Every structure is written in structure tokens, then in C-alpha cells.
């Protein structure tokens, strides 16, 4: 029995509230149950130095957690003067995942920055961030298309992410915090709308796992992502 | 005529949504028009080193702005590796303002940290932060009282803050961003529920001002704070 | 009775020693009693990035305290690797105060940096810094005028600053350290030569204050600043 | 055809030189072809704060690359003042991988730090680091056992890691730098001596991949790790 | 001919003004011509962690240069967030030089920190710092002796320092800035009152030098230090 | 008797292994007994900002120590976020020493960076670094000459360095760690192939020394450097 009473292949409620803030070109508040992440997409008409003059764009992400998003207050990274290894690992993953479905040439020489800020955490903040970032990116790109700044759509696929894990011997979908902190193995899958894989990060926590378990977790992830894709479609009116 | 069409002594709509997040002992989303600040109050059963063993508590604040809370994206302070002078100035002001109405001895040897994170900015983020922080503090202290951890109420007064300024020669209440960025003078007042002053910060921006102008701004601030006090009462059920 | 035996409206001795060092375009050692601040004005023929190409100048300030300027040694900010919030708050105030009396267009595309370094501290270091910075700025600008680099004088007014506070219930002028550390309220006023206000920062320390007290402190500040203006005139030979 | 002329399932030459330096409790220079990593294991009779007094040990890792380990010189992280996100991600992976095969209770309240410093880089530095770190750890633990400081062996399994990827449409084993920089997908597998999985990190680089490809890469990884296990056995005389 | 018109073995005027500031246990403004350094000695009744509980004391130094001590303004190290290599090298040299003449056991478990802040620079700031630091240390130790906190004098010798160099082929004493910036070789000597050597740092700048030149510079240094010792005696009333 | 049993004027075995790594333009592993330093020379076709457009080159150095190069593990400077004063002092010395024998004009507008990374430490790491850096520089410059990028040889002399010290009253050559940590005085000499001096750094450690001792140490240094020069010749095939 899962702490939440959910079935092993049952997701938490997915909520996607587009246009949560008004200044950003794209903005969304995404919820996986009690995990809430605010994602904004900012379009900048410049690219990082390593891409200048190549006629290509860039999609990148930053991630942060409000100090009291968690059960006990964490120190503010801005006050500590550096981002933790965990933060950097997560924001690199988010950026990679979005770039995996974006045609950077079609984006032109501009950058889209996806800021993922966790308002409330209950497990799965990185997967909610990726899933929400796609919506924010979609909205921002639609705006560029509507304004005639882009002539073709650089987004090639939907992308979504979900965590799965082995909890008390059972493979389960969409770990919440109580499960995440006691899971024997923990895997994050980033999948695309056409059923392909953009990233797998599967980690033993205390116990190693075998190939069969990896495949069972991947199958759970497919179930979860299909629900996220549906929610993304609904939120973006597609 | 103000850019927003408001009368000189007209506040923007004040919204206070308590319990916006679930982990913090106190939490509120406060809005002054399009300015939205999430404030959480975290109770910690320890005090900073300089107070240890003195049987006294502490109230402090931290302030941050999400990168895309503003019209154009600002760099993330955690990524830059330091908090700006502006951020530090604001968080020091918030902490001082709340301490001005708190009996630190009655609080006992514990600390309450008020995290003020700006979700969306349109002028007045520091005054919204102070006004919202009081609500979050109130909720957290009520919880300590209800749990019997405090025997008497350490909060001695309500506190609220508002900005006023001289815009195109006219003293106006509650500057929004278009006014704030062009005002000749800009003043932040922190007032208490019994009509006293906790802090005045009045700054010439381009043009100096005289004593009469200072007093007119203070009178506008009294009008604004009385409305904030009413909203605070309503939000905390008093 | 004040710890120093001064009358409530009595300033400490003001000393201004121009040309204290030789390399800077302007330099002064200012003393408010035992508080001694060395201020240098450095003229740089460039402006910060945000002003480039606009034909306008900039005046800015930096503030520091020698480690043993105080009763007990403080850590060196250069060794700690960052400036405290207090330091940043003060240097922002100094810069703003000087800009309030400077016509930046008339200054042309150059920057004047005012470095205020506290040699010895006994309360009022920020107000001594502002008052001394004006003298250093005046000397540096006179040099630019004499050299024909400026055709008109960009300094529109004198500016001076003084702290006042409520000490044991009595409003007093020019707080020294023993008063400053026990005052119920503490206010810094930045006034101009023509009697106008450039900045007010009035803070409750333990007790809030009322409008009447604010006005009484402002009146004391006018008394103090008129004496500083006289000392500035004498030091600059006007 | 691979740039190196290797067959798709052909590893580069594995070299393991134990006791490369003399001060560390365990030390090894491991080579995967031209990739050379010096790993030292340092035994410390203390644990990080979060484990104090719990009778449990800790295994952690740090990773660095000498500035000219690569084709063009990279900036020294110590000079830049911070470790990159990539560095932190890698050292977290190394630590996790080694802990996956260590019984931390059996280790007792002590810490073993694995320093992995890349002397020369040609792709696969993180997998060589993990594979070499196991040897350094093994040597250090054998020393603790020989000295009677440990009564039972805390190392439960061998662990090794290898990168695989899809290069010009073909799944290949043990990517060198020319392959790594042009691969369509890149996966790092951390496997244990008994055939189980400790970690999978599989990333699309430009092209997404499907489940079949993931499994083919995993099979290649099994081939590679079995050769690394053999080299580890030889190096540790087992 | 030297730029200043001095003879090759002629020092600049040495000025030593004790008790320049009032809070420090020892304080002095030392001048070597236009080079002016404020040195304070702070007595702290604690020692650095590596000495705790060993009944021994410590003498250390910190060095800083006010931003406009020099011909053109340098960036403030506190604002840059780190001390330069030059600063660290100098403060390590000052500390070592003073420890060379101090019996740390006789000092007891306390630390004396010598803060050397350059008010105005014209070459020789490190040697003026060392020479002045000895006076500040002497004053602080005399105070500890007078208060009965020390039963015997831990200062075993006087110590002074001077720079010499080869300028246009001629060995000269006490380089000022115009000489320092064009010298072919530059040497700093730290000598003790009994004629012994505490430190030599002799550096080729453009041209290497021979043993004979090293000895000639050392002889000049003896001339200079004997004059500094006399000034130290006079300043401390010995 | 020296701890190692060496005669007072006896060097440890000097080993120089050129081409230790393959990417750098010059590379060498140098050993003074158990002290092992890997030095790489990286040629960059650009110069630091202060030299741009002057047609002159630059030679600079960076120094690092692997965390477990020493008897007990030291913290990694990249993880601490700054280089120690010792590190900066050493890398400045290495750069200065190599520039003392290089004609920077003849080098043309390019920079050579010498990275000295200590693999294993047993005293004398800075002198081994300088001596090895010359070999790496020589190899890199020979390559530039062979490629026709340089028309004349910018290296004017060989340079080598060695530490000497007074150990239990006896002047000894080439201190190893047990001697270095207990020596009464410690001197590092940087000498050129034609017998001249590039740098002397002679420091009292506990006891001061006299002129005679300085000269005896210099004579020992000449003995040591002549052996290093021979090893350099052999390694570079001259």
C-alpha cells in the first residue's frame, strides 16, 4: 500500500494553470499533487557567446526552490552565494530535455530561458518542472509565431517527465515525498510525444536493481507521461 | 492624471490569500494590484549566535525576486552568487519593521524567518512584503499560542507599509511601476496599527522636496495603511 | 543628560581637513567629534555601462570601515569576500545623496567615485561620509572647471547629513556611539543648502515614534546641517 | 566505422596501476585508452555533520580535471572560484555509485573520500573515475581490515561504469572524445559485479532514442563492465 | 641621478605618529616620504583553531590599500569579493616578519592582529607596514605588560624592513614609486635590531642580478634599517 | 645527520619525464625525490588585456596541489571557492621566474600558461615546479620554432630553482618535508644557466639568520641548480 493510498500506476492530480504571471512571454503554474512549480519562459533576442553569429538559437533553464517550499526551511541559495550541486544538476536536465524537442536552427538567433521555481515541494519537482516548462515554451513560441518573428514552428514534439521508483518492493508511478525519501530505487524518465526517450536517470538508493525493474519503471513512466501530454494539450488548447 | 487613472489618494486593490502554501507555519500571497508577493513564516526553535542563551527571540526576513517577476528578465541572484545591495537593504527593512511590533522576550528563544518572494512586480514590492509578512507572522504566532508554546502574545501591534511619491508634481499614494520609475520623490512609510511610525525612508529622485511635501506623503500613507490594516484584519479573522 | 554632557541641540566639533591625501582629484578628512572619515573623489573619464553614449555623467560612492575603526575589531570585508548589507545600504545612500545635488548632464560623460573610508568610528559615520563627500566632490569639480574640462558647474547645491535620535525620551542632535546604541529611534537626514530634503531615513529601535517626534528631529537636523554647511564653506574657501 | 577503427563492442585498452602515489590509503592510475584518471582514497576518522553519532560511515567523491587535460586549456576551477555544474554532477554520481555497493554501517563512523583527478581526457572520464575509485576504495578498505580497524568487509560488490552511445546510427561501446562529441545519444551505465544496475544516465543529444536502443546500449555496457571487473580483479590480486 | 634627487643611500623622511587612532591597543601612522600606512594592533583573548589549548599566542597581519591611495583608482577588494594574490603575499610577509621577533609562548594564549592600511602609496608600502607594525605591536604589548597581563616581554628584538633596488644600473635605497616601477631588480629586506636577517625577497625585474649586487643591496638595507630603528626608538620613547 | 641520510650538499634524485601527457604543447613530470609535479605548457594565441596590441607576449603560471598529494588530505581549492594565499604566492613566483629568462617581445603576441599540478608532495614543490616549467616551456617553444611561428628563440637562459635551509644548525640542500617542517630558516633560490640570480626568498622560521648563512645557502643552491640544469639538458636533448 502506498502512503497516499494510490494504486501503483496512479498519478497524482495534474494541474496546469497557464498565464499565472503577466510579464513573461510564457508562464504556467504546474502541480503534480502538492508539488507546485511556477515556470516562466523569457524570450531574449540574443544568444550565449558560444553561439553568436551562427544563426542558431538556444533553450536553457534555471531552477530554484523557495526556502520554505519544503517541510523544514532550507537556506536561500542567493544568501549562501552558490547554487547547490543538486540545483545545477536539475537545471541542466531541464534545459537538455527541452532542447531535445526543439529545432534550434528554426528558433533563429534568440534564447528562451525557462525559470522553474518551486513554490511547494512534495516530490517530483524536476519532472513537474520539465512538464511545465514545455507548456511555457509552447506559449512563448506561439506568441513568436503569431507576431511573425518565427516562420516555422521550432518545437518538434511534446516532452514530459515523470519519476517512478521501487517502493517497498513494488514499482510505483509518480513518487511523492514520503515515497521518494524511502524508495529503494528512483528513476526519472523524460519522454516525447511520439513515445521516444529523451533522458533516463535511474539511481539505486540503498539497493541496486535489475533490467526487468528498469523496464517496468519505463512502462509506468509511459502511463504517466500520456496523462501529462493530455493535460499539456488541454492547457495549450490543442 | 495618474497612468492608471487612479485618484491621488487611491490605493490599488489589496488582496490577501492566507495559507497559500502548506508547509510553512504561516503563509500568505499578498497583492497590491499586479504586485504579488508570497510570504512564508518559518518558526525555528533556535536563535542566531549573538542571542543564544539570553531567553530572547528574533524575527528576521529574507527577500527575493523571481527572475521574471519583472518586465524584462533579471539575473537570478543564486546564479550570480550574491544578493544585490537593493535586496539586502529591503530584507533588512522588512526584518526591522516586524521587530518594531514584536516583544522579542515574549517570543522566547526561537526565531521566526519571514521569506518574501516576489512572484510578480509592479512597484511597491517592499511595502507589500512588510504588510504580508505581518499576516504570515500573525498566523504563525497564533499557531504557537494554540499549541501552548507561547503563553502571551508577543505581537504588540499591527504593522503595514506603503509607498507614496510625488509624480508630476502631485503627491500620490501607492506607486505602481510606471509611477515609481518616473517619480520625483519616493517615500516608504511603515506605520503601526495605533498610528505610530516604525520607519520612514523618503528619497529625492531627481528633485529634492520640502517638509510640507514630506507631511503630505505621510498623510497619504495613513490613508493607505488604514486600508491595509482592514485587509489584514479580514484575512486573519479579527 | 547626554553621555557626552552636550546639550540636546549641540553638535560635536566638526573638523574638515581638505587635501588630506595627494593622488585623488579631491580629498578630505572629515571629523564629527571622534568619528573620522577619509573621503577621496576620483574622476574617471568613463561611465558605467548603462549610461554609455548618453552624454551624461555619474556620481557614485563606496564605503568601508577599517577593521579597527571600532571598539572591538571587525572582520575585514575584503577577507570575508563580501560587503555586508549595512555597507551596501550606506554606500547607496551616499551616492544618491550626492546625485541629488548634481546635474549629471552638466557633468558630461565622466564618473566621479567617492570613496568613504572610516578611520575611526564613534557614531554618525554615514552622515560624516555624505558631508565630507560633498567637499571632496566640490574640490574635484573645481579642478575640472579650472582645467576647462567643464564649462558650467554641475553642483547645484550643497548637501550635508546628520543623525538625530530620541535618547532617553529626549530628541537629540548628532548621536555619538553610546547614544546611537541605546537610542529608541534613530533618524538620518540629508539636507541641501537651500533647506530642502534629499533623504530621510527614520527608524524605530525598540519604540515607535509619532509625527511630532519626526518633525522635532527634522528641526534638530536643520540646526546641525547649517553648521556643517558653514564648515564646508570654510573648507572650500567660499 | 568508428573513428578509432574499433569494433562496435570493443573497449579501449584498460590499464590500472595501483599505488601510483604513496600518501593515500588507496591510490590508482586508471586508463581507458588515452583517458587517464588518478584516484586516491583517503580514510578520515570522522563523518559529515548529518551522520555524527549514528555509528555509520560515509563514502564520497570529488572530481577535477587538470586545466590542460583536454585538447584546449580550460580554466582552473580553483581560480574561477567555483566548481561547474558538470563537475558537481559527476562527483555526485561517483559518490552514489560507490555507496551503492558499500555497507555504510559496516564501515563504522569514518569517511572515505575518493578524489578523482583527470590527468588526460579522451572521453569517458566519469566512468573511468568510478571504475578506478572502486579499486582505490578496495585497497583502502583492505588496509583497514589488515590493521584490524574493520572486522567485516563493508564492500558488498564490485562496481564499474562505462559509457555507450549511438554513433552514426550504430550503438557503440566506450565512446572516446571524437565519438562522444558527435554521438546522437550517450548513456553511462554503472553496473555491479553480480550483474545488477546501480545507475543509468541515458541522454538524447540531438536525437531521441527508443526502448530497443536503450536495451542494446545496456547490453554493450555489460560487455564492457565484465572486462573492467576482470581488470579490477587483476589489479587488486583477487 | 634618482628621480627624487636623493643620493643612492639616502632614505626618504621617516615619520612615525603613534596613537593615531584611539580604539586599538596600539596604533601608528608611519610615513616613508609620501607613503603613509595606518597600522593598528588589536589584542584578542583567543587564538586561531590550530593553536587552541597549547598555551601559545599568535601574531598575524592583514593588509589593504584604500582604493585611491594610488595614482589611479584601484578597485576595492571588498567589492571585488576577494583579496589579490599581491595582498595575500604582503600580509603573509608582515605576519612572518613580526613573528620572527616574538616569543609566542611568552605572549600566552592570545592573538595580536596587525592591520596595515595604506592611506597613500608611493612605493615601499610593505616595508613601511612592517616597520610601523612593530611600533603598534610594541605599544600594545607595553599596555599588556602595564596591565599585568604579561609577566615578561615577548618581543625579543626590533624589526624593520626596507626596499632596495637596482635603478639604471645603480643600487639605491628606499625605492619610491617612480623608481620601483622601472627598477631592474627589487629587493625587500627584513632586518632585526641585532643585525640579523628575518627575510630577504629579491626579484629580478627584466634583468637578473649577481651575488655582488645582492650583497650591495643588503648593505644599503642595513643603512636604511638603522635609521628606521632610531625612529622606532624615538616613537616608543626608548 | 639529515633524516634521509643525505650529505648536506646532496640533492634528491632528479627525474624528468617529458611528454607525460599528450594534448599540451609542452608537458613534463618532474620529480625531486618523492615530490612529483606535472607541468604542462599551453600556447594561446592571445594575451591578457593589459598587453593587447603591444606586439608582446606573456608567460604565466598556475599552481595546484591534488587534495591527497600530502600526508593528510587537504581541502580542494575549487570546492572551497578560492585559492589560498600560499597558492597565489607560489604561482606568482613561478611566472616571474620564467619571465626572467624569456624575451617577451620575441615571443610575439601570444601567451604561454604553465600549469604546475603537484601529484605528490614531499617538500620543494615550488622549486620542482619552476625547474619543470622551464622544460615544458622549452618543449613548447621548440614546437613553435619548428612550425615557423617564431623566427628567433625567446628563451634567453635556462632557469632552475632549489630550496636550501638551516636544519639543526647545518646548511643543507634540497629540503624534503621532514626537514622543511623543522628547519630554522628556509630559502628558495631561482638561478639562471649563466650563474645569475632571478629570485631569492629567504625566510627565518623561528630563528633569524646572518649574512654568512645566506651566502652559504646560496652556494648550496648553485650546486643543486647545476645538477638540475644537467637534467634539463638531458630531458630536452641538448
Amino acid at each position: 500500500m502506498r502512503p497516499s493510498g494510490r494504486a501503483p500506476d496512479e498519478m497524482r492530480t495534474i494541474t496546469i494553470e497557464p498565464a499565472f504571471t503577466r510579464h513573461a512571454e510564457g508562464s504556467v503554474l504546474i502541480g503534480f499533487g502538492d508539488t507546485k512549480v511556477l515556470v516562466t519562459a523569457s524570450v531574449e533576442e540574443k544568444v550565449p557567446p558560444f553561439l553568436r553569429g551562427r544563426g542558431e538559437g538556444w533553450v536553457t533553464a534555471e531552477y530554484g526552490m523557495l526556502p520554505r517550499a519544503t517541510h523544514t526551511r532550507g537556506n536561500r541559495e542567493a544568501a549562501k552565494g552558490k547554487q547547490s550541486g543538486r540545483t545545477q544538476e536539475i537545471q541542466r536536465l531541464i534545459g537538455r530535455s527541452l532542447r531535445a524537442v526543439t529545432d534550434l536552427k528554426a528558433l533563429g538567433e534568440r534564447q528562451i530561458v525557462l525559470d522553474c521555481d518551486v513554490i511547494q515541494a512534495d516530490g517530483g519537482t524536476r519532472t513537474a518542472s520539465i512538464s511545465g516548462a514545455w507548456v511555457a515554451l509552447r506559449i512563448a513560441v506561439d506568441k513568436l509565431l503569431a507576431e511573425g518573428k518565427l516562420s516555422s514552428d521550432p518545437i518538434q514534439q511534446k516532452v514530459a517527465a515523470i519519476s517512478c521508483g521501487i517502493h517497498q518492493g513494488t514499482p510505483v508511478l509518480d513518487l511523492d515525498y514520503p515515497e521518494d525519501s524511502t524508495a529503494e530505487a528512483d528513476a526519472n524518465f523524460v519522454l516525447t510525444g511520439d513515445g521516444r526517450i529523451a533522458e533516463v536517470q535511474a539511481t539505486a538508493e540503498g539497493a541496486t536493481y535489475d533490467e526487468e525493474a528498469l523496464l517496468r519503471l519505463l512502462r509506468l513512466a509511459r502511463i504517466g507521461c500520456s496523462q501529462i501530454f493530455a493535460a499539456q494539450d488541454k492547457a495549450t488548447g490543442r
Side-chain angles (χ1 to χ4, degrees), chain A:
Chain A
M1 178 61 94
R2 303 178 70 174
S4 60
R6 282 186 281 149
D9 62 353
E10 188 182 344
M11 287 281 292
R12 291 176 286 178
T13 307
I14 304 165
T15 55
I16 299 183
E17 191 176 338
F20 189 75
T21 61
R22 31 182 309 169
H23 300 313
E25 285 71 33
S27 151
V28 67
L29 183 73
I30 188 166
F32 282 8
D34 275 339
T35 289
K36 307 278 182 197
V37 183
L38 172 58
V39 188
T40 57
S42 297
V43 177
E44 298 178 344
E45 295 296 323
K46 61 175 185 194
V47 288
F50 71 91
L51 278 181
R52 267 177 215 154
R54 291 176 45 183
E56 235 176 286
W58 192 243
V59 173
T60 189
E62 293 195 5
Y63 171 93
M65 205 183 266
L66 296 193
R68 195 55 196 281
T70 42
H71 285 81
T72 56
R73 185 175 185 275
N75 288 325
R76 190 177 286 266
E77 291 189 332
K80 285 191 293 184
K82 64 175 186 174
Q83 294 179 298
S84 70
R86 179 185 173 277
T87 291
Q88 293 194 62
E89 197 171 303
I90 292 175
Q91 63 194 13
R92 285 159 55 90
L93 170 63
I94 301 169
R96 252 187 346 254
S97 299
L98 276 291
R99 286 194 297 275
V101 294
T102 307
D103 178 347
L104 296 174
K105 283 207 173 57
L107 184 58
E109 199 153 330
R110 58 172 61 84
Q111 172 169 261
I112 302 185
V113 183
L114 298 156
D115 284 290
C116 304
D117 285 276
V118 180
I119 301 295
Q120 189 171 276
D122 187 36
T125 64
R126 79 188 70 187
T127 54
S129 294
I130 292 167
S131 304
W134 186 84
V135 178
L137 178 67
R138 181 70 272 169
I139 295 171
V141 165
D142 282 347
K143 202 169 171 186
L144 289 170
L145 286 163
E147 293 167 351
K149 288 186 183 161
L150 286 176
S151 52
S152 69
D153 186 356
I155 303 182
Q156 301 166 317
Q157 285 293 334
K158 284 196 286 280
V159 76
I162 195 67
S163 77
C164 304
I166 301 175
H167 182 255
Q168 299 184 338
T170 305
V172 293
L173 174 63
D174 187 20
L175 305 178
D176 55 25
Y177 179 76
E179 287 171 327
D180 192 30
S181 53
T182 58
E184 294 102 60
D186 173 16
N188 291 293
F189 295 92
V190 183
L191 304 180
T192 61
D194 59 350
R196 295 176 65 85
I197 305 172
E199 183 118 6
V200 175
Q201 293 197 343
T203 303
E205 308 272 358
T208 51
Y209 54 94
D210 60 17
E211 188 171 328
E212 177 55 26
L214 178 65
L215 292 177
R216 290 182 64 185
L217 295 178
L218 173 53
R219 271 150 221 162
L220 285 174
R222 292 195 187 283
I223 296 172
C225 285
S226 69
Q227 295 181 29
I228 303 170
F229 292 135
Q232 289 176 334
D233 281 344
K234 199 173 148 200
T236 56
R238 299 198 163 216

